[in-house]
Amino acid sequence: MSLASDVPAGSPRLHLSKDVQQIVYRLLAAGLICLALGIATDAFFTTNNILNVLRQASLLFFLASGLTLVILTGGLDLSIGANIGLSACLAATVIKATGSPVLGTLTGLATGCAIGICNGLMVAKLRIPSFIATYGMLWVLHGITYYYMAGETIHGFPPGFRQIGSGHFLGIPIPVYLMVVFLVAGTIFAQRTVWGQQIYAIGANPVAARLTGIPIHRRLILVYGFSGAMAGVASIVFLARLNSAEGDIGEAMTLPAIAAVLIGGASLFGGIGSVFGTFIGALILTLVLNGMNLLAINASWQPLVTGAILVFAVWLDMYGRKKA
């Protein structure tokens, strides 16, 4: 089956030039933020700060890249932050019990993926709106994690495992290398494979996608499973970075991840967006938060700023659709 036959009219191919244009605008915005912070503070353009920004952006990107595919289908995954919490706590338990970082990492990834597949089954098979299904899953995961941890903290992991989150290679943090790998792989999958184009088609026009023979249910389960697996990746990097696991780890990451995807140009209505755009969105959001730290702005303002950016990105998306 040819790619062209899989993609209905109104597919992202027709918006390619517009997508490139939007990415250029966002790169310019990131450049202007860098310039402004470089003028306003002496510490911004230091090597340590630049590497810190890239490390923080990579943690956000892991979570947001999986969420991008969900949003491309017109869905939403609100359970990703809670997914990190349970995946990290189970991975930490296995590492402490067996002394094997490999088994612990596989446990974290498998837990994240299984949670995502459960979300996909609820959305695809039970036809529960993604907002409701994943919001319910969020509370289920919180309940399980808090009951399991009972207020305890698991800490102290092998030095080799900690390299995943805290190590460097050639002076660059390991998470940055991982981010590049997932960025390239995610971009190729979304833009250059039939499955990726089918995901775009489902979000652009689900009725037309069904009529062309795209297996919508299987693709939705795949997408939510991938989003959960990326939450598992984020849980392992967090665990290695923090050297401890608590019940609320990753809890505050859901809103920034959604904001990063929307800042990157994805539409909540589906069919528009890209993994590379999400990378730029994660970078912009991290730059803003880094700038607030450098300017000694109270940390309590950061959630407010993140929420305001998210609302602005949604408004921009709706305004753009009205003009189209």
PDB file of all heavy atoms in Angstrom, residues 3 11 20 26 32 48 70 92 96 100 106 109 140 189-190 193 217 253 272:
ATOM      1  N   LEU A   3       2.238   5.074   0.318  1.00  0.00           N
ATOM      2  CA  LEU A   3       2.055   6.119   1.314  1.00  0.00           C
ATOM      3  C   LEU A   3       0.967   7.084   0.897  1.00  0.00           C
ATOM      4  O   LEU A   3       0.122   7.501   1.682  1.00  0.00           O
ATOM      5  CB  LEU A   3       3.377   6.864   1.523  1.00  0.00           C
ATOM      6  CG  LEU A   3       3.370   7.971   2.588  1.00  0.00           C
ATOM      7  CD1 LEU A   3       3.057   7.352   3.946  1.00  0.00           C
ATOM      8  CD2 LEU A   3       4.698   8.694   2.632  1.00  0.00           C
ATOM      9  N   SER A  11      -3.915  16.201   4.643  1.00  0.00           N
ATOM     10  CA  SER A  11      -2.844  15.611   5.438  1.00  0.00           C
ATOM     11  C   SER A  11      -1.731  16.628   5.626  1.00  0.00           C
ATOM     12  O   SER A  11      -1.684  17.660   4.980  1.00  0.00           O
ATOM     13  CB  SER A  11      -2.285  14.393   4.706  1.00  0.00           C
ATOM     14  OG  SER A  11      -1.509  14.825   3.630  1.00  0.00           O
ATOM     15  N   VAL A  20       7.348  24.258   8.292  1.00  0.00           N
ATOM     16  CA  VAL A  20       8.730  24.751   8.298  1.00  0.00           C
ATOM     17  C   VAL A  20       8.765  26.209   8.728  1.00  0.00           C
ATOM     18  O   VAL A  20       9.621  26.633   9.514  1.00  0.00           O
ATOM     19  CB  VAL A  20       9.376  24.567   6.906  1.00  0.00           C
ATOM     20  CG1 VAL A  20      10.727  25.246   6.864  1.00  0.00           C
ATOM     21  CG2 VAL A  20       9.507  23.089   6.564  1.00  0.00           C
ATOM     22  N   ARG A  26       9.720  29.799  15.652  1.00  0.00           N
ATOM     23  CA  ARG A  26      10.023  29.370  17.021  1.00  0.00           C
ATOM     24  C   ARG A  26      11.530  29.373  17.288  1.00  0.00           C
ATOM     25  O   ARG A  26      11.962  29.666  18.401  1.00  0.00           O
ATOM     26  CB  ARG A  26       9.411  27.991  17.269  1.00  0.00           C
ATOM     27  CG  ARG A  26       7.910  28.084  17.508  1.00  0.00           C
ATOM     28  CD  ARG A  26       7.176  26.793  17.302  1.00  0.00           C
ATOM     29  NE  ARG A  26       5.767  26.939  17.634  1.00  0.00           N
ATOM     30  CZ  ARG A  26       4.858  27.494  16.836  1.00  0.00           C
ATOM     31  NH1 ARG A  26       5.221  27.959  15.628  1.00  0.00           N
ATOM     32  NH2 ARG A  26       3.609  27.615  17.223  1.00  0.00           N
ATOM     33  N   LEU A  32      15.866  34.985  20.285  1.00  0.00           N
ATOM     34  CA  LEU A  32      15.613  36.276  20.937  1.00  0.00           C
ATOM     35  C   LEU A  32      15.645  36.144  22.463  1.00  0.00           C
ATOM     36  O   LEU A  32      16.143  37.029  23.158  1.00  0.00           O
ATOM     37  CB  LEU A  32      14.254  36.826  20.484  1.00  0.00           C
ATOM     38  CG  LEU A  32      14.211  37.345  19.040  1.00  0.00           C
ATOM     39  CD1 LEU A  32      12.783  37.740  18.648  1.00  0.00           C
ATOM     40  CD2 LEU A  32      15.161  38.541  18.869  1.00  0.00           C
ATOM     41  N   ASN A  48      28.609  26.210  31.698  1.00  0.00           N
ATOM     42  CA  ASN A  48      27.828  25.427  32.670  1.00  0.00           C
ATOM     43  C   ASN A  48      26.335  25.683  32.519  1.00  0.00           C
ATOM     44  O   ASN A  48      25.520  24.753  32.610  1.00  0.00           O
ATOM     45  CB  ASN A  48      28.267  25.761  34.099  1.00  0.00           C
ATOM     46  CG  ASN A  48      29.583  25.103  34.449  1.00  0.00           C
ATOM     47  OD1 ASN A  48      29.981  24.125  33.806  1.00  0.00           O
ATOM     48  ND2 ASN A  48      30.262  25.637  35.458  1.00  0.00           N
ATOM     49  N   VAL A  70       0.548  11.474  20.695  1.00  0.00           N
ATOM     50  CA  VAL A  70      -0.829  11.401  21.195  1.00  0.00           C
ATOM     51  C   VAL A  70      -1.621  12.622  20.719  1.00  0.00           C
ATOM     52  O   VAL A  70      -2.757  12.491  20.236  1.00  0.00           O
ATOM     53  CB  VAL A  70      -0.841  11.328  22.737  1.00  0.00           C
ATOM     54  CG1 VAL A  70      -2.268  11.421  23.267  1.00  0.00           C
ATOM     55  CG2 VAL A  70      -0.195  10.031  23.210  1.00  0.00           C
ATOM     56  N   ALA A  92      13.213   1.597  41.033  1.00  0.00           N
ATOM     57  CA  ALA A  92      14.105   1.763  42.196  1.00  0.00           C
ATOM     58  C   ALA A  92      14.045   0.533  43.097  1.00  0.00           C
ATOM     59  O   ALA A  92      15.085   0.070  43.604  1.00  0.00           O
ATOM     60  CB  ALA A  92      13.690   3.011  42.973  1.00  0.00           C
ATOM     61  N   LYS A  96      17.292  -1.876  43.973  1.00  0.00           N
ATOM     62  CA  LYS A  96      17.736  -2.107  45.353  1.00  0.00           C
ATOM     63  C   LYS A  96      17.662  -3.585  45.732  1.00  0.00           C
ATOM     64  O   LYS A  96      18.484  -4.087  46.494  1.00  0.00           O
ATOM     65  CB  LYS A  96      16.885  -1.282  46.317  1.00  0.00           C
ATOM     66  CG  LYS A  96      17.035   0.221  46.144  1.00  0.00           C
ATOM     67  CD  LYS A  96      18.444   0.713  46.421  1.00  0.00           C
ATOM     68  CE  LYS A  96      18.775   0.711  47.890  1.00  0.00           C
ATOM     69  NZ  LYS A  96      20.093   1.328  48.154  1.00  0.00           N
ATOM     70  N   SER A 100      20.764  -4.874  40.206  1.00  0.00           N
ATOM     71  CA  SER A 100      20.941  -4.842  38.749  1.00  0.00           C
ATOM     72  C   SER A 100      20.275  -3.604  38.137  1.00  0.00           C
ATOM     73  O   SER A 100      19.043  -3.551  38.052  1.00  0.00           O
ATOM     74  CB  SER A 100      20.353  -6.108  38.115  1.00  0.00           C
ATOM     75  OG  SER A 100      20.336  -5.981  36.704  1.00  0.00           O
ATOM     76  N   LEU A 106      14.726  -1.953  32.779  1.00  0.00           N
ATOM     77  CA  LEU A 106      13.688  -2.669  32.012  1.00  0.00           C
ATOM     78  C   LEU A 106      12.343  -2.609  32.734  1.00  0.00           C
ATOM     79  O   LEU A 106      11.286  -2.485  32.098  1.00  0.00           O
ATOM     80  CB  LEU A 106      14.115  -4.123  31.805  1.00  0.00           C
ATOM     81  CG  LEU A 106      15.320  -4.332  30.868  1.00  0.00           C
ATOM     82  CD1 LEU A 106      15.706  -5.808  30.830  1.00  0.00           C
ATOM     83  CD2 LEU A 106      15.004  -3.827  29.466  1.00  0.00           C
ATOM     84  N   LEU A 109      10.843   0.894  32.108  1.00  0.00           N
ATOM     85  CA  LEU A 109      10.349   1.041  30.733  1.00  0.00           C
ATOM     86  C   LEU A 109       9.086   0.204  30.514  1.00  0.00           C
ATOM     87  O   LEU A 109       8.119   0.664  29.887  1.00  0.00           O
ATOM     88  CB  LEU A 109      11.433   0.614  29.743  1.00  0.00           C
ATOM     89  CG  LEU A 109      12.722   1.438  29.736  1.00  0.00           C
ATOM     90  CD1 LEU A 109      13.711   0.882  28.717  1.00  0.00           C
ATOM     91  CD2 LEU A 109      12.426   2.901  29.430  1.00  0.00           C
ATOM     92  N   VAL A 140      -5.547   6.910  39.569  1.00  0.00           N
ATOM     93  CA  VAL A 140      -5.272   5.511  39.895  1.00  0.00           C
ATOM     94  C   VAL A 140      -3.779   5.318  40.191  1.00  0.00           C
ATOM     95  O   VAL A 140      -3.392   4.678  41.188  1.00  0.00           O
ATOM     96  CB  VAL A 140      -5.701   4.587  38.732  1.00  0.00           C
ATOM     97  CG1 VAL A 140      -5.173   3.171  38.946  1.00  0.00           C
ATOM     98  CG2 VAL A 140      -7.219   4.560  38.607  1.00  0.00           C
ATOM     99  N   PHE A 189      10.455   8.627  12.395  1.00  0.00           N
ATOM    100  CA  PHE A 189       9.242   7.818  12.514  1.00  0.00           C
ATOM    101  C   PHE A 189       8.004   8.622  12.101  1.00  0.00           C
ATOM    102  O   PHE A 189       7.160   8.131  11.332  1.00  0.00           O
ATOM    103  CB  PHE A 189       9.082   7.342  13.963  1.00  0.00           C
ATOM    104  CG  PHE A 189       7.784   6.630  14.216  1.00  0.00           C
ATOM    105  CD1 PHE A 189       7.604   5.312  13.811  1.00  0.00           C
ATOM    106  CD2 PHE A 189       6.720   7.284  14.832  1.00  0.00           C
ATOM    107  CE1 PHE A 189       6.405   4.660  14.021  1.00  0.00           C
ATOM    108  CE2 PHE A 189       5.510   6.639  15.053  1.00  0.00           C
ATOM    109  CZ  PHE A 189       5.348   5.327  14.647  1.00  0.00           C
ATOM    110  N   ALA A 190       7.902   9.858  12.592  1.00  0.00           N
ATOM    111  CA  ALA A 190       6.690  10.643  12.326  1.00  0.00           C
ATOM    112  C   ALA A 190       6.617  11.138  10.882  1.00  0.00           C
ATOM    113  O   ALA A 190       5.535  11.171  10.285  1.00  0.00           O
ATOM    114  CB  ALA A 190       6.612  11.820  13.301  1.00  0.00           C
ATOM    115  N   THR A 193       7.810   7.526   7.875  1.00  0.00           N
ATOM    116  CA  THR A 193       7.289   6.161   7.847  1.00  0.00           C
ATOM    117  C   THR A 193       5.785   6.188   7.582  1.00  0.00           C
ATOM    118  O   THR A 193       5.102   7.188   7.849  1.00  0.00           O
ATOM    119  CB  THR A 193       7.549   5.416   9.170  1.00  0.00           C
ATOM    120  OG1 THR A 193       6.747   5.999  10.204  1.00  0.00           O
ATOM    121  CG2 THR A 193       9.015   5.493   9.581  1.00  0.00           C
ATOM    122  N   HIS A 217      -7.612   1.699  15.683  1.00  0.00           N
ATOM    123  CA  HIS A 217      -7.467   1.205  17.056  1.00  0.00           C
ATOM    124  C   HIS A 217      -6.032   0.781  17.363  1.00  0.00           C
ATOM    125  O   HIS A 217      -5.482   1.130  18.406  1.00  0.00           O
ATOM    126  CB  HIS A 217      -8.422   0.027  17.286  1.00  0.00           C
ATOM    127  CG  HIS A 217      -9.857   0.453  17.359  1.00  0.00           C
ATOM    128  ND1 HIS A 217     -10.901  -0.416  17.557  1.00  0.00           N
ATOM    129  CD2 HIS A 217     -10.426   1.682  17.252  1.00  0.00           C
ATOM    130  CE1 HIS A 217     -12.035   0.243  17.584  1.00  0.00           C
ATOM    131  NE2 HIS A 217     -11.782   1.511  17.371  1.00  0.00           N
ATOM    132  N   MET A 253       5.456  17.412  36.135  1.00  0.00           N
ATOM    133  CA  MET A 253       5.966  17.466  34.765  1.00  0.00           C
ATOM    134  C   MET A 253       4.879  17.475  33.692  1.00  0.00           C
ATOM    135  O   MET A 253       5.148  17.783  32.532  1.00  0.00           O
ATOM    136  CB  MET A 253       6.889  16.266  34.517  1.00  0.00           C
ATOM    137  CG  MET A 253       8.197  16.314  35.284  1.00  0.00           C
ATOM    138  SD  MET A 253       9.196  17.745  34.837  1.00  0.00           S
ATOM    139  CE  MET A 253       9.572  17.355  33.126  1.00  0.00           C
ATOM    140  N   ILE A 272      -1.556  18.274  13.282  1.00  0.00           N
ATOM    141  CA  ILE A 272      -0.537  19.297  13.042  1.00  0.00           C
ATOM    142  C   ILE A 272       0.477  19.278  14.185  1.00  0.00           C
ATOM    143  O   ILE A 272       0.087  19.277  15.356  1.00  0.00           O
ATOM    144  CB  ILE A 272      -1.167  20.700  12.923  1.00  0.00           C
ATOM    145  CG1 ILE A 272      -2.110  20.765  11.729  1.00  0.00           C
ATOM    146  CG2 ILE A 272      -0.088  21.777  12.791  1.00  0.00           C
ATOM    147  CD1 ILE A 272      -2.864  22.078  11.610  1.00  0.00           C
TER     148      ILE A 272
END
